[in-house]
Amino acid sequence: MTEHFGHAVMPQATHDEQAMEDHFLAMRLWTIQNMDPLDKRLVNEVIVPEITAKTGAPPKSSAQMRATLEDHPFHQYWLSLSFFYQDQIWRALGASVDRQYDTLANAVSERTAAPRGSLTLDPDLAIPRYIAAFDHHRMPGSYHVDTSAADFRAGALYDRFASTYLRNLNGGWKNDGRGQTLVAHLRDFYPDLKPRRILDLGCSVGHSTVAIAAAFPDAEVHAIDVGAPMLRYGHARAEAMGQAIHFSQQNAEHTRFEDANFDLITSSALLHETSAAAMRNIFAECHRLLRPGGVMAHVEVPPRHEHLGLWEQMRCDFESHYNNEPFMAALSRVDYVATSVGAGFASDDVIVGYRKGVAEARANRDDFFTQGDPQGRTLLGSWYVCSAIKTAGLN
């Protein structure tokens, strides 16, 4: 028995598949609720005093305590649990997608037979090493592995994983909380923005792109990614959800679009999966592609090391060291304003800070804060935003 939910091309779960998902989600919740606090106590009550006794000074960053912490058996147990349940969720969902692959293929074909939007692929596109060298989020095959000229498996797997892993936390099955948060930010700080052309960078399957397109129904919306299977699935998904989006396979560092071609350029959780050099290139590309008065807006993972305790810093570093998020730890230390200025934006035109995650876009300046959320949501429940306007007359 399978109960349908979501859109027309989303993988569905049988009773037994859903039970398996719920089992490992329960393991994840149990680990967060029961093991995380103990691991934090280990850091504060054992590791910090031990390092202080040895060196005469307490550690100031997670890097100074990593080796000592990772030698401790309890932390090793915490590490094992933290990636075990995620690997098992991927495995369970992958088997579910494979079971219904032919059915999904028919749905993808039907939804793209008479499209509102479009799909353009580039089989010769070089996949950047920061994507090609990792199975991001420990996702088998990552975003780009392509097994046929019509393969969409990576997109279907990622869509189903996102709706499962972040159940009810990031927009439910739509997984569009980042897109809704981005739109809320635009309505707060750029209320007069009426974009005619929008570009969403690193769109994956278009979770955020669909939300942005719905918020600006009069705009022509383009979305790019390096993963062909993500784009094939994302195109069908957008069509199933009634949005006309033009997907194309391109590298956000160097696109094929002409200068001054867009009024709004966005990204959602793209930067932490790139590199420092790529981030600089992406911001410079945003400046090149924006028309005068146009806006770039990036929503990213929230940790900022200057606002985190030692255990929270370690938890952020875990994503890079064990969860195949290569740039996440370094990104938490990046100066977004300096990167924006280096790309050509004026420092006074750059806005950076946290926004509380929302499931429905609404203007609310109280959702924006710059020094870390007083309610402690800098790791969960908020996103970090960097936006800038391209001032007329600047190069």
Side-chain angles (χ1 to χ4, degrees):
M1 180 68 179
T2 302
E3 182 179 354
H4 192 277
F5 81 102
H7 50 78
V9 296
M10 176 174 276
Q12 304 299 307
T14 64
H15 175 276
D16 289 353
E17 289 168 346
Q18 188 65 63
M20 185 65 74
E21 292 176 30
D22 291 344
H23 170 74
F24 289 112
L25 284 177
M27 181 183 289
R28 176 176 185 258
L29 182 62
W30 184 88
T31 302
I32 291 171
Q33 292 179 336
N34 295 279
M35 300 298 290
D36 284 17
L38 293 176
D39 200 59
K40 186 173 182 178
R41 284 186 61 190
L42 172 65
V43 167
N44 294 330
E45 298 176 20
V46 177
I47 302 301
V48 169
E50 181 179 334
I51 293 175
T52 303
K54 287 182 178 180
T55 65
K60 295 182 179 180
S61 72
S62 56
Q64 293 176 283
M65 67 176 190
R66 181 185 172 200
T68 303
L69 180 61
E70 292 190 350
D71 280 342
H72 198 284
F74 183 85
H75 187 70
Q76 293 170 3
Y77 179 48
W78 176 86
L79 285 171
S80 297
L81 279 178
S82 295
F83 60 73
F84 173 78
Y85 60 68
Q86 182 157 317
D87 287 352
Q88 295 308 309
I89 294 173
W90 282 123
R91 180 178 296 179
L93 293 176
S96 177
V97 170
D98 291 341
R99 170 186 60 79
Q100 58 193 297
Y101 189 87
D102 290 343
T103 300
L104 292 171
N106 289 333
V108 167
S109 179
E110 289 173 2
R111 291 293 167 172
T112 55
R116 299 176 177 87
S118 64
L119 173 65
T120 304
L121 299 178
D122 180 3
D124 297 323
L125 181 71
I127 306 299
R129 185 182 181 279
Y130 51 75
I131 297 295
F134 300 90
D135 281 352
H136 286 75
H137 318 115
R138 304 177 69 89
M139 173 183 170
S142 193
Y143 305 129
H144 66 285
V145 171
D146 214 355
T147 61
S148 73
D151 187 27
F152 59 86
R153 185 183 186 276
L157 178 59
Y158 184 68
D159 192 20
R160 192 68 173 83
F161 179 86
S163 67
T164 298
Y165 195 73
L166 295 173
R167 186 176 294 170
N168 299 323
L169 290 178
N170 193 44
W173 65 263
K174 293 182 179 180
N175 193 41
D176 65 350
R178 288 183 292 267
Q180 300 291 356
T181 302
L182 190 149
V183 172
H185 182 78
L186 294 171
R187 289 176 175 169
D188 268 345
F189 289 96
Y190 311 96
D192 297 327
L193 181 66
K194 300 291 188 294
R196 292 172 292 158
R197 284 172 59 86
I198 298 172
L199 174 62
D200 190 32
L201 306 172
C203 64
S204 69
V205 300
H207 288 140
S208 296
T209 321
V210 167
I212 295 165
F216 300 102
D218 296 328
E220 179 180 293
V221 180
H222 293 257
I224 66 172
D225 200 276
V226 298
M230 304 292 275
L231 293 166
R232 293 189 191 98
Y233 179 86
H235 176 43
R237 182 182 184 274
E239 296 294 327
M241 297 178 71
Q243 294 297 333
I245 298 172
H246 302 285
F247 292 89
S248 60
Q249 189 177 13
Q250 300 191 54
N251 185 336
E253 295 183 63
H254 309 286
T255 74
R256 297 189 296 271
F257 298 111
E258 296 179 358
D259 293 358
N261 212 257
F262 294 96
D263 306 293
L264 173 63
I265 300 176
T266 63
S267 78
S268 301
L270 162 68
L271 301 174
H272 74 277
E273 296 184 351
T274 60
S275 67
M279 181 178 175
R280 292 191 294 270
N281 290 338
I282 289 168
F283 276 40
E285 185 71 348
C286 288
H287 191 270
R288 180 184 76 82
L289 293 175
L290 283 172
R291 295 168 178 154
V295 172
M296 76 167 184
H298 306 279
V299 172
E300 256 306 330
V301 290
R304 296 294 304 169
H305 263 233
E306 64 267 29
H307 300 146
L308 301 178
L310 285 173
W311 187 84
E312 288 77 15
Q313 288 182 32
M314 181 282 300
R315 185 63 185 82
C316 174
D317 293 346
F318 165 88
E319 300 297 329
S320 286
H321 296 306
Y322 292 99
N323 202 32
N324 293 354
E325 303 280 13
F327 187 43
M328 185 166 171
L331 182 66
S332 68
R333 301 172 177 87
V334 164
D335 186 334
Y336 281 76
V337 175
T339 304
S340 300
V341 170
F345 296 93
S347 59
D348 290 344
D349 294 328
V350 183
I351 298 170
V352 292
Y354 299 93
R355 285 204 71 98
K356 186 174 71 174
V358 296
E360 182 178 351
R362 62 186 185 277
N364 183 359
R365 286 290 184 96
D366 292 339
D367 281 348
F368 182 78
F369 42 97
T370 59
Q371 296 302 316
D373 186 352
Q375 298 184 38
R377 292 174 297 201
T378 55
L379 278 175
L380 183 64
S382 65
W383 299 101
Y384 201 69
V385 180
C386 173
S387 64
I389 188 168
K390 181 177 180 179
T391 306
L394 288 183
N395 293 326

